[in-house]
Amino acid sequence: MNTQFLIGFALLMLLHIFLDIKHWAQQPNDVKRLYILLYAVALGLFVSITLGYKPPMPTHYLVEKVSPWIFSIIHPQ
């Protein structure tokens, strides 16, 4: 993966966390939990990609498995 993208993503994520922290005190607990969950998922994906593990993504399955099957139905040989 592109190192510049990973560094830029990390910096943007830290910036957003820093900007959101001052608003968290005014939010209900459900919204705070949602923020934490979303940041944890984003951080988990970031760390896994940084360590070299590529998590399975739905679009890869769609492109590799479903699209050829649909194409073979639409355009039979």
Side-chain angles (χ1 to χ4, degrees), residues 21-77:
I21 283 178
K22 60 183 172 184
H23 298 290
W24 282 8
Q26 303 160 356
Q27 300 296 329
N29 286 338
D30 293 340
V31 175
K32 288 179 191 178
R33 283 189 214 116
L34 180 64
Y35 267 100
I36 291 169
L37 176 69
L38 291 176
Y39 279 121
V41 168
L43 182 64
L45 285 172
F46 175 76
V47 169
S48 68
I49 289 173
T50 304
L51 295 176
Y53 173 73
K54 292 189 175 196
M57 294 292 180
T59 54
H60 289 281
Y61 179 77
L62 180 70
V63 168
E64 294 172 4
K65 304 285 185 199
V66 177
S67 292
W69 178 68
I70 298 291
F71 188 79
S72 69
I73 292 173
I74 294 173
H75 301 287
Q77 297 282 333

Side-chain angles (χ1 to χ4, degrees), residues 1-19 39 41-51:
M1 184 131 238
N2 189 350
T3 306
Q4 291 176 338
F5 173 77
L6 290 175
I7 292 170
F9 180 81
L11 291 175
L12 283 174
M13 192 166 138
L14 288 173
L15 175 69
H16 280 276
I17 289 173
F18 178 72
L19 292 174
Y39 279 121
V41 168
L43 182 64
L45 285 172
F46 175 76
V47 169
S48 68
I49 289 173
T50 304
L51 295 176

